[in-house]
Every structure is written in C-alpha cells, then in structure tokens.
Amino acid sequence: MIEDVVIVGAGIAGLATAVALKRVGVKALVLEKSNGLRATGAALTLFPNAWVALDSLGVSQKLTSVYSTFERIYVTNTITGEIQEIPSSGAIRAGNEPRPVHRKALLKALADELPIDSIRFSSKITAIETQEHEGSSLAVVHMEDEIIIKAKVLIGCDGVHSIVGSWLGLAEPVHSGRSAVRGMAVIPQGHGLKEEVQQFVGAGKRIGFVPLTKTDVYWFLTCASADKDAYLGGNPEAIKSEVLEKYANDLPELYQDIINHSDLSTLTWAPLMFRKPWKVAFGNLCKQNITVAGDAMHPMTPDLGQGGCSALEDAVVLGRHIGACIAQKGGLVPREMIKAVSNYAEERRWRVTWLVTGSFLSGWVQHGGPMWGLKFFRDAIFYKFVFPRIARVMHYNCGKLA
C-alpha cells in the first residue's frame, strides 16, 4: 500500500503531527508499537509556547477548561531552609499561562481529533529503505508482521531510541549523569495545596510537586546517577521506598504524605538521556522525504519542561511547511515534499539545539552536586537572574496552520 504520510509513534509528537496534517488536508497513518496510547510520565506542564501550538491544532480549549494555571514557583533549600520565588519570565497572554495536565488527557485530546482508523496499534517497524517511484522517492517501511507500507513522507516520532533517527544517522542519546522519578499521588479527600509549584533542592537532588486537580498531585525527583542502567524501572514499591528513605526524609511531612499516596501504576524511574547539542545542530535531521520530530529529533532533560512543548511546536511547523507546499502545488506532490521536509528541519534546527543546551545547563546548575561554588551560584544568582532569562524560550510562537 502507498500512504501519503506515515508517522511512526503515537506519542505527543506523533499525534500532534497527525492533527496538524489533518488541518492542512492530509490524512496520515500513525503506527504505534504498543497496544494503546502510552502515558508514561503521568503528567507534564505545558508552558505558553505549547498553548500557542495547541491553539493552532484546535485542541487547547479541551484542556484549558479542565486544568488550572499556576503563577508562582517556590524553591526551598532543604539544607538552609531558605525559600525563594522564581521570578516570572515576562508577561503571559491570558489563556497561555502554564498549566499542568495529565499526559493521558493530552494524548486523548489529540487522538480524538483524528479519524478512528488513523492509528494502527501493535505495529512494530523492523526496517526502513527508500525506492524510486515516478521520478521521486518513496520511504518503504517493513513491519514485523511482514506488511510493507510505502510513504510519500515518513516522519519518525518514535522517541529517544528512534529507528527513524537511526536510519537518518543521528547520534545516539547519551546519559546526563542523572535519573528521574515521576509519579502521581491521588488523595480522595483532597490535598489542600495551593495552585503553585513547590520545589526542594539539596545536595545532588531536586524534588517538585505540582497540583493537577483537587485530588491529584504530580511529583518528580531528579538525582545523581553515574550508571544509566542503575535504576528501579520495574518495581514501583521499591521506587517509593527508595525515594522516601533516601531522598524525601528531609521534606515537610505533607510532601512525604503525597509520595506515600502515589498511584503505583504511575511510578517510573529512568535515566535522563539527551542528544549532545552539536549533534542536533549539525546532524542529519532529514533525508529526502524522511524526517523526525519530538524526542526522536531532540531528546532533552526535563529541566525546562520543554520536551512535550517542543514536540507540539514541531508538529505545527511541519504541518505549516507541508500545508504551504500543498497549497502552492495543488496537492501532495512527492518530489515537492523533499523541499517541505528540508525547510521544516532547518527552521527547527537551532531552536531545538538551544532548548537541549538550556535544559541540560539548567538541570546541571539546579542539581547542585558536591561543589560549594555551584550551589552558591544556584542559590544566590541562578534563580534570581539567570533562570528568568533562560525561561524566555517558553515565549515562542511556532506559527499558524493554513
């Protein structure tokens, strides 16, 4: 079979890209290896740039009507007890304020915009090649069940260890030296927290708590991890015990109670991986009619909260370039898609390189580590003066879809 566009992966990037293409008149086939929508990570915070993208995709109202904004972020030093507020990074237009959302709610909001037959689950790719077809190039995707699908455009949205990214020759992600624990607490009687973010930093750790609803609280921990394989990914009870005994023992009782109320099915412990910025800046982000988006292009640490946000940007920018080409040529012409894909990759290249760099440096500073000078810089200078400037990356307009 020959499809106009095939998207590998039904995560945030894959579903958002399919919605963007639908907005410009292209139906995409989304191939997902899992048997349903994956919601690993429990929740995420969407910043102003993400809401601009969701406005373009036509789904923002589904989420803004459910989730509340937060205006303040407080950071407590667990060693000194000092509390400071992270200054706002600038005026935010009403409707685009930061909001934490359930990851599954975001995925469902995007998936509901697509025709029911757009997503094919339990579809695992084994190989990719190209072949000439009527003076142009087609991407040929080989499936585990021996089905062969040919695509006029192939977009890899298949995560950190992307098979499409590997085919393009992109460098493998590297370990950041830290791991992350993520979870969601459910407190039926209500948690009573204000709509604000609380973070606690200490020697080599950072823990944060973000209310999602009146009963749900998203929490995360980042900590030093020299070995990327040294984590408790498949044992939620062990994860909770490790966090409470080793990392949360100096937190106020309220926050220890939140961790105790964690829904064990949401707990994950995994290494934080990223692609070196220069490997993104000078890497092969596309080849002919094949490209990548989301973590497949620019895996980054979560320290600016831009992983999901930048994936939504990718979707709109790619949809914008393909839509412009279709409008100019009167349809999806395979040989013209090479230019559209190339223009998309070049527009995203330096934007995402900066996001990867800023996220890594932000995490490295906030983590503190054993160096007293770095901890002094974090507590006295970084949060007050440097972070607000870095956070300006959240005020970005990826454009509108035709």
Side-chain angles (χ1 to χ4, degrees):
M1 65 184 79
I2 296 180
E3 301 283 345
D4 282 342
V5 178
V6 170
I7 297 170
V8 184
I12 294 173
L15 295 178
T17 300
V19 174
L21 292 174
K22 179 191 171 188
R23 295 279 180 258
V24 298
V26 178
K27 182 181 178 181
L29 174 64
V30 182
L31 303 176
E32 170 54 48
K33 65 181 180 181
S34 301
N35 58 8
L37 293 180
R38 294 171 288 115
T40 303
L44 73 164
T45 297
L46 297 178
F47 290 96
N49 55 320
W51 293 111
V52 170
L54 288 168
D55 281 343
S56 294
L57 296 173
V59 299
S60 60
Q61 180 57 33
K62 292 182 178 181
L63 299 167
T64 56
S65 61
V66 176
Y67 295 98
S68 300
T69 65
F70 65 82
E71 298 180 355
R72 294 178 175 84
I73 303 175
Y74 293 100
V75 179
T76 302
N77 187 313
T78 58
I79 299 173
T80 65
E82 179 187 2
I83 302 174
Q84 56 181 307
E85 180 181 350
I86 299 180
S88 171
S89 60
I92 299 175
R93 183 169 63 84
N96 286 348
E97 302 93 339
R99 298 169 192 260
V101 304
H102 290 88
R103 187 176 291 266
K104 196 161 190 177
L106 173 58
L107 294 176
K108 187 175 186 305
L110 293 168
D112 286 348
E113 293 294 310
L114 300 172
I116 195 168
D117 60 344
S118 294
I119 308 172
R120 186 176 298 172
F121 293 107
S122 302
S123 299
K124 186 176 181 180
I125 291 178
T126 57
I128 300 169
E129 60 181 347
T130 59
Q131 69 174 214
E132 294 301 311
H133 177 74
E134 298 179 357
S136 185
S137 176
L138 289 179
V140 183
V141 178
H142 296 263
M143 310 299 295
E144 190 175 53
D145 57 7
E146 299 185 355
I147 290 176
I148 296 175
I149 302 174
K150 299 179 181 180
K152 298 175 185 176
V153 180
L154 177 64
I155 307 166
C157 301
D158 46 340
V160 175
H161 301 291
S162 166
I163 188 172
V164 181
S166 295
W167 185 89
L168 289 172
L170 288 173
E172 278 295 306
V174 296
H175 185 220
S176 66
R178 293 180 295 136
S179 291
V181 184
R182 299 177 175 93
M184 184 168 64
V186 180
I187 305 174
Q189 70 273 23
H191 49 69
L193 295 176
K194 295 180 180 178
E195 291 172 347
E196 57 193 26
V197 180
Q198 290 285 349
Q199 292 191 37
F200 298 84
V201 295
K205 69 178 182 182
R206 180 163 63 99
I207 302 179
F209 300 87
V210 188
L212 285 160
T213 64
K214 297 297 183 182
T215 60
D216 296 359
V217 181
Y218 172 62
W219 66 269
F220 62 87
L221 159 72
T222 62
C223 57
S225 174
D227 184 353
K228 73 178 181 66
D229 296 319
Y231 64 97
L232 307 170
N235 191 335
E237 282 285 4
I239 291 173
K240 187 172 78 170
S241 297
E242 180 83 358
V243 172
L244 287 169
E245 294 170 10
K246 188 173 179 180
Y247 298 102
N249 52 5
D250 55 357
L251 295 186
E253 186 176 345
L254 169 63
Y255 296 104
Q256 294 186 30
D257 189 52
I258 288 172
I259 296 172
N260 263 317
H261 277 84
S262 295
D263 177 351
L264 294 181
S265 68
T266 68
L267 285 180
T268 58
W269 183 313
L272 293 178
M273 310 294 287
F274 75 108
R275 182 164 285 132
K276 293 178 179 178
W278 52 92
K279 299 291 187 180
V280 178
F282 304 108
N284 294 322
L285 304 184
C286 66
K287 183 178 180 181
Q288 296 179 329
N289 57 341
I290 300 175
T291 190
V292 283
D295 284 346
M297 178 189 283
H298 44 74
M300 65 185 75
T301 62
D303 304 287
L304 290 179
Q306 286 297 301
C309 299
S310 57
L312 293 169
E313 290 181 11
D314 293 341
V316 173
V317 174
L318 183 52
R320 177 157 50 79
H321 282 289
I322 290 179
C325 186
I326 289 174
Q328 185 179 8
K329 301 298 179 181
L332 197 154
V333 181
R335 63 178 175 273
E336 298 298 331
M337 287 298 103
I338 296 175
K339 182 179 179 182
V341 165
S342 176
N343 289 342
Y344 151 76
E346 292 312 307
E347 180 174 339
R348 296 303 291 160
R349 186 181 300 275
W350 294 105
R351 163 72 177 164
V352 297
T353 296
W354 167 235
L355 289 176
V356 172
T357 305
S359 295
F360 178 81
L361 292 177
S362 177
W364 180 66
V365 172
Q366 292 184 79
H367 186 256
M371 296 181 289
W372 71 268
L374 185 59
K375 287 185 281 190
F376 172 79
F377 175 75
R378 176 193 67 191
D379 299 335
I381 299 173
F382 179 78
Y383 285 128
K384 292 182 176 69
F385 306 108
V386 179
F387 186 81
R389 295 180 182 276
I390 296 178
R392 289 175 183 173
V393 299
M394 302 171 187
H395 300 266
Y396 180 83
N397 190 334
C398 58
K400 298 291 184 183
L401 294 166

